[in-house]
Amino acid sequence: MSAVAVLVADGFETIECLTMIDVLRRGGVRAMLVSIMATREAVSSQQVNIVCDATLDEVDMNEFDYIVLPGGMPGTTNLGRDQRVCELVREFAANKHVAAICAAPSILGDLGLLIGRKATCFPGFESSFPAGTYAGGKTVIVDGNIITASAMGQALPFALTVLGDIAGERAVEKVREGIQL
């Protein structure tokens, strides 16, 4: 089964990040919080402190099939400024899977990875998207191996979509039932 690395930088959106980890683990998927910083500690944009499972330097990214980019500010800016993250996003978009929510899909736009695709993001961040790419707000968009979602309000549908892509509809139904959705 696929393994997922949720990349974390200071200023991440708490619910977008932790909902993904929670749903994937409930669904039986190996999912890790991976700090892109020098330590495993990170602080969300809402000042929630977390300890990640590992730092980027401590993991072998070849073991993962998916990377997830949570949004939030300045978390998205911090992810997009890290050249290691940009290289991973390019590699995973070409050969594996990328999921991004809120402001984070703008990283995909900035890297030129949304040409000929449909995607969504938090309103105002679509300026980095190529013309005709933006598919509207308040939604989750699947386009091949890239999944995007518009904002925190879509965190649960986004996580369930990623789970479904990895583990199938049976895993999604099990999680939905377990959380009374």
Side-chain angles (χ1 to χ4, degrees):
M1 178 171 289
S2 296
V4 178
V6 178
L7 302 184
V8 180
D10 279 341
F12 67 94
E13 166 50 57
T14 313
I15 290 174
E16 295 166 0
C17 180
L18 298 181
T19 299
M20 181 63 71
I21 285 292
D22 183 285
V23 166
L24 292 176
R25 288 182 180 175
R26 285 176 192 264
V29 174
R30 179 175 169 246
M32 290 182 68
L33 288 168
V34 178
S35 169
I36 69 160
M37 291 146 341
T39 68
R40 292 181 181 191
E41 291 81 25
V43 181
S44 78
S45 56
Q46 296 77 32
Q47 302 305 301
V48 175
N49 296 300
I50 67 165
V51 178
C52 295
D53 301 303
T55 67
L56 192 53
D57 293 333
E58 294 173 328
V59 297
D60 178 358
M61 290 303 291
N62 292 317
E63 295 178 8
F64 296 95
D65 306 296
Y66 250 97
I67 55 172
V68 175
L69 306 173
M73 293 303 282
T76 296
T77 301
N78 292 334
L79 288 171
R81 276 194 230 156
D82 189 303
Q83 287 307 307
R84 300 170 305 162
V85 171
C86 292
E87 286 305 312
L88 285 169
V89 171
R90 284 186 189 100
E91 176 188 328
F92 277 68
N95 302 308
K96 297 182 180 186
H97 302 271
V98 177
I101 185 170
C102 193
S106 66
I107 296 169
L108 302 172
D110 289 339
L111 295 174
L113 301 173
L114 296 178
I115 296 169
R117 293 186 180 261
K118 291 291 183 189
T120 190
C121 63
F122 192 83
F125 287 90
E126 71 275 7
S127 62
S128 72
F129 288 15
T133 300
Y134 184 64
K138 297 184 181 178
T139 190
V140 177
I141 302 294
V142 178
D143 191 326
N145 65 334
I146 294 177
I147 299 173
T148 56
S150 57
M152 183 186 77
Q154 296 300 314
L156 188 53
F158 176 60
L160 289 168
T161 300
V162 172
L163 175 62
D165 192 43
I166 295 168
E169 198 55 38
R170 188 172 290 161
V172 171
E173 285 309 312
K174 177 184 168 205
V175 171
R176 290 173 72 84
E177 184 179 306
I179 63 173
Q180 296 292 294
L181 184 61

